[in-house]
């Protein structure tokens, strides 16, 4: 099993490092590339087939099974994305050429005009048009917001049988209590639905009160009564809005405002998690429930874990980011929020002293000026070697002088 996971996406180019990375090679437990250290989502790793399996698995055993189809041969649930193809005739000089635009995902609504309007209300660079930066953005958010290792124990590294059980219960719970998919509707349509629903079931008192209030108002007030739950600005009645069943139909969002409350990114394919009056993406919902290991990016289901540098780590994953040696009880230095052991720091990251040209140990005193560094004991006049700590000095490129005389002597 180990081998298979590692073939996935092997050699895929890095979208961030371009030619500097030799191609994706999965680290044995971190979710990153061994060559360039960028994440899986920076590489074009997942094929849309694998992505559709992941989302299919997420919707399995939920009320959203209409969005999945079971494959005949292996019974694996596959996400049936609604792909929208628009054809616009473009008048050319002689003949009419057809310009087609394919959206890799569109809201699953019957009314195509509504889907089209929805798309146009998203920022241009986030519209998932095939081959565009918007399609790339959607793909990256799919990897980031819905990590396979947040819902599938088999995608996790070395869980104990007890941790597998805990994780399965956790996933079952969020599928029952938080997971949802947004609906795109015109505000006017929903109101009648809410009224009908209330006549049938008066359990949800909040909505019935709201609907009652709506009916009393004069018709001219109706146009401005819809305001977006996030930006609080008014909605136009003819514009599509996003509704979230778990939030209740008295709330609505502009398409571009249907975002995660933590990362503010558009909720990919309108897949949301609702908790305490907030919309979350899958990743940040899980973060609000469980600690996440800063080493392997998986949720932590064991009672024993380490907290260091404001982050959580599996005990065996608090390791040097460069050589993977375990850091418990060792000296380490944080480099770009990642812990690095002392030998790796000196070898790969340490500043070089302008005086003696050796690496500066992280624990010794140093002087830094204009991107130049010195050991404190090497911070001397480049001409007469007088110690300059606490003294006025004159910098000239990588050299420092105690006086105009010394500078002249050296420069002549």
């Amino acid at each position: 099993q180990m081998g298979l996971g590692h073939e996935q996406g092997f050699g895929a180019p890095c979208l961030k490092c371009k030619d500097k990375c030799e191609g994706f090679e999965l680290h044995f437990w971190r979710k990153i590339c061994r060559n360039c250290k960028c994440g899986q989502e920076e590489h074009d790793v997942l094929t849309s087939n694998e992505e559709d399996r992941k989302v299919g698995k997420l919707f399995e055993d939920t009320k959203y099974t209409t969005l999945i189809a079971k494959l005949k041969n292996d019974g694996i649930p596959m996400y049936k994305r609604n792909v929208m193809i628009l054809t616009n005739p473009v008048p050319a000089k002689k003949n009419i050429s057809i310009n087609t635009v394919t959206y890799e995902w569109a809201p699953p609504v019957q009314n195509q005009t509504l889907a089209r309007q929805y798309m146009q209300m998203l920022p241009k660079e986030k519209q998932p048009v095939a081959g565009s930066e918007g399609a790339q953005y959607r793909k990256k958010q799919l990897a980031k917001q819905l990590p396979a290792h947040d819902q599938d124990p088999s995608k996790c590294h070395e869980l104990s049988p007890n941790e597998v059980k805990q994780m399965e219960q956790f996933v079952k719970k969020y599928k029952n209590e938080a997971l949802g998919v947004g609906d795109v509707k015109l505000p006017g349509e929903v109101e009648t639905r809410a009224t009908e629903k209330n006549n049938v079931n008066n359990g949800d008192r909040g909505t019935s009160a709201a609907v009652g209030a709506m009916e009393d108002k004069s018709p001219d007030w109706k146009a401005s009564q819809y305001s977006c739950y996030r930006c609080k600005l008014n909605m136009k009645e003819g514009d599509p809005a996003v509704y979230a069943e778990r939030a209740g139909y008295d709330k609505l969002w502009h398409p571009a405002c249907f975002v995660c409350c933590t990362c503010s990114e558009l909720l990919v394919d309108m897949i949301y998690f609702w908790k305490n009056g907030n919309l979350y993406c899958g990743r940040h919902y899980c973060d609000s429930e469980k600690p996440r290991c800063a080493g392997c990016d998986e949720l932590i289901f064991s009672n024993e874990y380490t907290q260091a540098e404001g982050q959580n780590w599996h005990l065996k994953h608090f390791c040097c980011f460069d050589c993977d040696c375990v850091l418990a009880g060792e000296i380490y230095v944080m480099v770009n929020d990642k812990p690095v052991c002392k030998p790796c720091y000196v070898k790969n990251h340490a500043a070089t002293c302008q005086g003696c040209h050796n690496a500066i140990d992280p624990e010794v005193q140093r002087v830094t000026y204009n991107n130049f560094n010195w050991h404190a004991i090497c911070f001397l006049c480049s001409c007469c070697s007088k110690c300059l700590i606490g003294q006025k000095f004159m910098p000239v490129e990588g050299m420092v002088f105690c006086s105009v005389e010394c500078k002249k002597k050296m420069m002549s």
Side-chain angles (χ1 to χ4, degrees):
Q1 191 193 338
M2 212 41 201
L4 286 173
H6 282 254
E7 311 311 311
Q8 191 180 349
F10 185 81
C14 180
L15 305 168
K16 205 168 167 184
C17 304
K18 306 281 193 291
D19 300 342
K20 282 194 225 128
C21 171
E22 295 160 33
F24 187 71
E25 192 185 329
L26 185 62
H27 182 279
F28 64 106
W29 53 265
R30 300 181 194 272
K31 311 289 183 288
I32 59 168
C33 170
R34 293 174 70 160
N35 289 321
C36 68
K37 302 263 170 99
C38 287
Q40 252 167 320
E41 73 275 2
E42 300 291 354
H43 291 76
D44 224 339
V45 172
L46 289 178
T47 62
S48 47
N49 192 7
E50 285 155 333
E51 288 169 346
D52 291 344
R53 281 177 181 226
K54 174 178 80 173
V55 180
K57 193 167 172 59
L58 181 66
F59 291 150
E60 197 176 22
D61 306 320
T62 67
K63 58 169 85 168
Y64 299 103
T65 46
T66 51
L67 295 173
I68 59 179
K70 290 260 166 114
L71 287 186
K72 288 210 171 62
N73 50 8
D74 54 10
I76 288 179
M78 287 288 270
Y79 176 35
K80 296 187 300 198
R81 271 177 299 132
N82 182 37
V83 174
M84 181 166 74
I85 300 171
L86 300 179
T87 43
N88 303 316
V90 180
K93 286 213 172 83
K94 290 201 176 113
N95 48 9
I96 287 184
S97 69
I98 299 287
N99 161 29
T100 59
V101 177
T102 303
Y103 289 94
E104 294 188 350
W105 170 85
V109 286
Q110 300 288 280
N111 174 346
Q112 207 179 14
T113 315
L114 206 59
R116 203 180 202 153
Q117 277 179 296
Y118 165 90
M119 280 303 176
Q120 260 128 36
M121 288 174 77
L122 299 180
K124 187 99 183 87
E125 71 281 3
K126 293 184 179 174
Q127 297 175 12
V129 172
S132 72
E133 64 170 324
Q136 208 60 62
Y137 168 79
R138 175 183 169 269
K139 206 168 180 183
K140 187 174 172 176
Q141 291 308 320
L142 204 50
K144 246 192 152 94
Q145 295 181 21
L146 301 168
H149 51 268
D150 278 9
Q151 54 153 320
D152 184 350
S154 74
K155 296 277 190 273
C156 296
H157 188 74
E158 296 179 2
L159 293 180
S160 71
N162 180 32
E163 288 169 321
V164 170
K165 208 160 119 190
Q166 283 191 52
M167 182 170 183
E168 285 168 346
Q169 286 167 339
F170 173 71
V171 172
K172 194 173 170 179
K173 188 168 181 284
Y174 75 55
K175 285 185 178 189
N176 286 333
E177 294 175 9
L179 172 69
V181 182
D183 287 327
V184 175
K185 297 187 181 305
L186 292 170
E189 303 176 334
V190 177
E191 196 181 315
T192 48
R193 269 194 60 181
T195 319
E196 283 160 19
K197 197 174 153 196
N198 279 322
N199 295 341
V200 181
N201 164 18
N202 223 339
D204 185 356
R205 300 222 338 254
T207 329
S208 53
V211 172
M214 285 174 192
E215 286 161 353
D216 298 342
K217 302 290 179 189
S218 55
D220 55 23
W221 180 79
K222 273 217 157 108
S224 65
Q225 75 195 19
Y226 307 111
S227 63
C228 171
Y229 187 69
R230 180 168 193 258
C231 72
K232 310 290 181 250
L233 296 175
N234 284 349
M235 299 291 265
K236 297 197 190 74
E237 202 157 356
D239 279 350
V242 183
Y243 288 85
E245 191 181 1
R246 295 210 187 255
Y249 281 94
D250 55 336
K251 299 178 187 65
L252 73 174
W253 286 262
H254 289 112
C257 290
F258 199 63
V259 297
C260 168
C261 67
T262 304
C263 61
S264 301
E265 295 293 354
L266 269 187
L267 290 164
V268 69
D269 295 10
M270 299 193 302
I271 299 168
Y272 69 87
F273 289 71
W274 180 254
K275 177 182 169 183
N276 300 340
N278 285 309
L279 290 171
Y280 289 88
C281 69
R283 168 179 292 275
H284 291 119
Y285 169 81
C286 289
D287 286 353
S288 76
E289 293 278 321
K290 295 276 170 206
R292 186 184 294 280
C293 174
C296 69
D297 197 51
E298 292 172 17
L299 299 171
I300 300 174
F301 289 97
S302 89
N303 299 330
E304 294 185 334
Y305 61 96
T306 294
Q307 285 183 306
E309 304 295 333
Q311 303 185 85
N312 304 302
W313 314 74
H314 284 114
L315 296 180
K316 58 175 190 253
H317 287 166
F318 186 53
C319 296
C320 169
F321 193 67
D322 287 3
C323 74
D324 287 327
C325 72
V326 177
L327 291 172
E330 300 294 325
I331 291 166
Y332 63 88
V333 185
M334 292 303 282
V335 179
N336 303 327
D337 284 339
K338 307 275 193 274
V340 173
C341 70
K342 194 172 148 182
C344 282
Y345 177 80
V346 171
K347 194 172 93 194
N348 306 331
H349 306 281
T352 305
C353 172
Q354 280 298 113
C356 69
H357 301 294
N358 290 322
I360 303 174
D361 188 293
E363 293 165 283
V364 305
Q365 284 187 300
R366 66 162 158 178
V367 177
T368 301
Y369 180 83
N370 266 0
N371 292 337
F372 293 114
N373 298 276
W374 292 263
H375 289 104
I377 53 168
C378 297
F379 191 56
L380 311 169
C381 171
S382 301
C383 177
C384 72
S385 302
K386 177 183 165 190
C387 173
L388 295 176
I389 287 186
Q391 307 295 317
K392 285 188 171 159
F393 64 91
M394 306 174 72
V396 179
E397 277 148 20
M399 297 185 287
V400 279
F401 299 103
C402 65
S403 61
V404 179
E405 291 76 46
C406 274
K407 178 180 154 183
K408 276 185 182 154
K409 229 184 259 179
M410 198 72 173
M411 294 315 217
S412 62

